[in-house]
Amino acid sequence: MESLPDAIVQYILSHLNNAKDVTSCISVSKRWKESMPFIRSLYFPRNVFDTSSMRDCDDTNPDEIILKIVMMVVQLEELVVYCPFSSSGLAAWLNVANKSLRHLELRMDSISEHQISPEASMSKLDCIGIAKNLESLRLWGVMMTQSPKWETFHYLRNLEIVGARMEDHTLVDALQLCPNLNRLLLLGCEGIRSVSINMKELEECKLDFYGAGNNSLTISCPKLISLEIQGCGWMRVRDTQCLRNLSISNSGGKVYLVDFSKLVALETLSLRGVQWCWDAISKMLQWASEVKYLYMKVEFTGDFENLLPFPEIDFVEFFNAHPKLQKFDIHGAMFAALCQKNSLKNVDSKFSIPCLEEIVLTVRSPLNAEQKMSTLESFVKYARNLKKMVIKILQMKSSHSSTDDFFEDICRFKYMNRKIVRIE
């Protein structure tokens, strides 16, 4: 390193970001210390102040130590802080770096806090507004029961909040201050009841609402390409002409209503949950006629509290309605619905499943074994481009008298089609 030109040393050391490494390099030599201002990114791990190099600093206040390191950097672009900090400390760092800072990630640890400490003039959440030029903001453990006191983030493109307690109006107010978002992730958020998201530039959205699963959601984002929703019972999504990837799940409640316009660009659709109203399932399948990858893991249907099996789904009509389907991943209820007695009667000799290349089936019951075997054989017969079929045997009750016979039939079917069929 000593024989290298200063510019090369500065370039190499500028790629350091861990605060532990930065403080260690400062003490190596004057030359290395003078290279530290060229760092672009700083990362303070959760346990950063447990190391001897950090404990040996002149200041014992973690906020002051972080401030000194931030002040040392000429043009800080990224700041990641997982260690504990105060709102006054955060305000000080951001006042120093706000002009150049583009990416900010903070472990807030404020989800259990109920009020601002008496000595703090601003909350941690409000302090973020100092960094007006942010392009990406990631927050962990956020208390957002009051609307953040920010000015508009005109340059913010990515917003991620993981683990938050918020109200409907506080989320809406926060999003209004980020009008040019391209990417929005809200994971493990509780307190939301009914929210509307209207963003003209949003392309990717992932929403995970914690609770009973009875939330209501309205979305209007004309450029939306990818959408994942977890924990909502009522959903209305407008302007879906660009939507290519859609996932809807509700592990804690029931899906009562879905209202989408026709999904003309949709390529991937995933429907998951314990119970969906059948009207919601049938509408989604109808709107997603152009889908290429379909994943279905819904256990029951039923409009009220009663858990009901899926009604019969005509095998031929289903695949005629989804001619571009390439990969089909279905679990017990949907597979059973395709295996009804009348599903494969009077099949037209010209019928085919033209694009299907891969199918994954989860079988949980030996009931209607004959119809299920007939459906498996139909996949091989009519899907002439089929390259892979995976049959997953999951929690099948061995006490049932027909279980062994059914399993033998599946093994025989696998042997007859061993080039494409696999049993798990």
Side-chain angles (χ1 to χ4, degrees):
M1 289 286 283
E2 293 302 323
S3 61
L4 292 176
D6 289 345
I8 300 298
V9 174
Q10 291 171 3
Y11 177 78
I12 294 172
L13 296 180
S14 70
H15 286 79
L16 293 174
N17 63 3
N18 194 307
K20 297 178 184 178
D21 299 331
V22 172
T23 54
S24 298
C25 288
I26 290 174
S27 60
V28 171
S29 68
K30 180 181 178 182
R31 190 183 187 208
W32 281 35
K33 183 177 181 180
E34 291 174 348
S35 298
M36 292 301 102
F38 298 94
I39 290 173
R40 297 297 180 91
S41 174
L42 282 174
Y43 165 55
F44 294 85
R46 184 70 174 172
N47 61 343
V48 64
F49 293 105
D50 295 341
T51 61
S52 58
S53 61
M54 299 298 285
R55 287 197 303 267
D56 293 340
C57 293
D58 295 335
D59 291 294
T60 57
N61 186 333
D63 287 345
E64 292 297 326
I65 296 174
I66 295 175
L67 178 61
K68 279 194 171 184
I69 298 175
V70 169
M71 291 178 66
M72 180 182 63
V73 179
V74 174
Q75 194 168 359
L76 186 65
E77 294 181 0
E78 181 179 25
L79 177 62
V80 180
V81 182
Y82 286 169
C83 62
F85 61 89
S86 68
S87 57
S88 58
L90 177 60
W93 317 330
L94 296 183
N95 276 315
V96 169
N98 73 85
K99 290 184 179 180
S100 60
L101 196 63
R102 297 294 180 266
H103 308 280
L104 178 63
E105 182 171 353
L106 301 171
R107 180 166 175 167
M108 304 284 280
D109 285 338
S110 60
I111 197 166
S112 59
E113 297 176 4
H114 296 282
Q115 59 183 9
I116 305 172
S117 57
E119 67 274 9
S121 58
M122 298 173 67
S123 69
K124 293 179 182 178
L125 191 63
D126 293 340
C127 290
I128 295 170
I130 297 171
K132 300 176 183 178
N133 296 318
L134 287 178
E135 296 175 3
S136 176
L137 175 61
R138 295 187 179 97
L139 303 175
W140 303 73
V142 183
M143 172 68 74
M144 195 187 289
T145 53
Q146 296 181 351
S147 298
K149 298 175 182 177
W150 299 338
E151 294 184 17
T152 303
F153 285 107
H154 292 287
Y155 305 105
L156 194 66
R157 298 294 183 267
N158 177 60
L159 175 62
E160 300 179 29
I161 300 178
V162 181
R165 185 173 299 153
M166 54 181 64
E167 304 290 341
D168 296 345
H169 70 280
T170 61
L171 175 58
V172 172
D173 291 345
L175 293 180
Q176 287 178 345
L177 297 173
C178 310
N180 298 312
L181 284 181
N182 298 138
R183 187 169 184 264
L184 172 64
L185 274 75
L186 304 176
L187 306 180
C189 297
E190 59 179 307
I192 298 296
R193 295 292 179 266
S194 178
V195 68
S196 178
I197 298 175
N198 303 284
M199 311 197 79
K200 294 181 179 180
E201 303 299 325
L202 194 65
E203 297 179 358
E204 181 182 351
C205 183
K206 185 173 183 179
L207 308 173
D208 178 9
F209 298 122
Y210 179 79
N214 57 356
N215 302 327
S216 174
L217 175 67
T218 302
I219 296 178
S220 180
C221 304
K223 294 185 179 181
L224 196 62
I225 296 173
S226 178
L227 175 62
E228 296 183 39
I229 304 171
Q230 151 62 27
C232 287
W234 291 265
M235 286 153 278
R236 286 185 171 88
V237 181
R238 295 288 179 260
D239 301 317
T240 59
Q241 63 271 15
C242 296
L243 191 62
R244 293 204 295 264
N245 303 302
L246 174 61
S247 174
I248 303 175
S249 63
N250 195 342
S251 57
K254 182 166 66 173
V255 176
Y256 294 91
L257 179 144
V258 290
D259 186 3
F260 287 70
S261 52
K262 188 169 176 60
L263 302 166
V264 293
L266 195 68
E267 297 180 356
T268 301
L269 175 62
S270 173
L271 306 179
R272 292 172 292 165
V274 176
Q275 185 181 13
W276 281 52
C277 289
W278 180 247
D279 183 63
I281 295 176
S282 60
K283 283 184 176 179
M284 288 305 308
L285 294 177
Q286 180 182 351
W287 291 323
S289 59
E290 305 296 312
V291 72
K292 295 179 181 178
Y293 172 34
L294 177 59
Y295 178 93
M296 287 198 64
K297 189 182 179 182
V298 180
E299 301 296 336
F300 300 98
T301 184
D303 294 332
F304 298 101
E305 298 304 318
N306 295 329
L307 300 176
L308 301 176
F310 282 25
E312 179 178 343
I313 298 175
D314 187 273
F315 185 92
V316 175
E317 289 181 2
F318 176 82
F319 285 101
N320 281 337
H322 301 87
K324 297 182 180 180
L325 193 60
Q326 296 177 4
K327 183 176 180 181
F328 194 19
D329 193 330
I330 52 174
H331 288 242
M334 182 67 179
F335 180 51
L338 286 168
C339 297
Q340 300 301 317
K341 288 184 178 180
N342 299 322
S343 188
L344 291 168
K345 284 187 176 180
N346 303 319
V347 178
D348 192 309
S349 59
K350 296 180 180 180
F351 170 71
S352 68
I353 309 174
C355 298
L356 191 63
E357 297 180 356
E358 181 177 349
I359 182 166
V360 180
L361 304 161
T362 301
V363 183
R364 301 185 62 174
S365 169
L367 297 177
N368 299 321
E370 184 178 347
Q371 285 78 31
K372 289 178 179 177
M373 292 308 304
S374 178
T375 303
L376 292 177
E377 291 165 0
S378 297
F379 279 120
V380 175
K381 180 179 179 181
Y382 297 113
R384 293 167 187 171
N385 292 316
L386 191 64
K387 298 175 181 177
K388 181 179 179 183
M389 177 187 286
V390 179
I391 303 173
K392 297 182 178 181
I393 311 296
L394 180 65
Q395 298 177 345
M396 189 178 293
K397 296 179 180 179
S398 59
S399 60
H400 199 281
S401 58
S402 61
T403 300
D404 292 340
D405 293 338
F406 181 44
F407 189 72
E408 286 181 7
D409 289 340
I410 292 177
C411 290
R412 190 178 301 110
F413 172 77
K414 186 260 182 187
Y415 177 77
M416 296 297 292
N417 301 278
R418 52 188 175 275
K419 291 185 178 180
I420 60 173
V421 178
R422 187 174 82 244
I423 299 176
E424 293 182 359

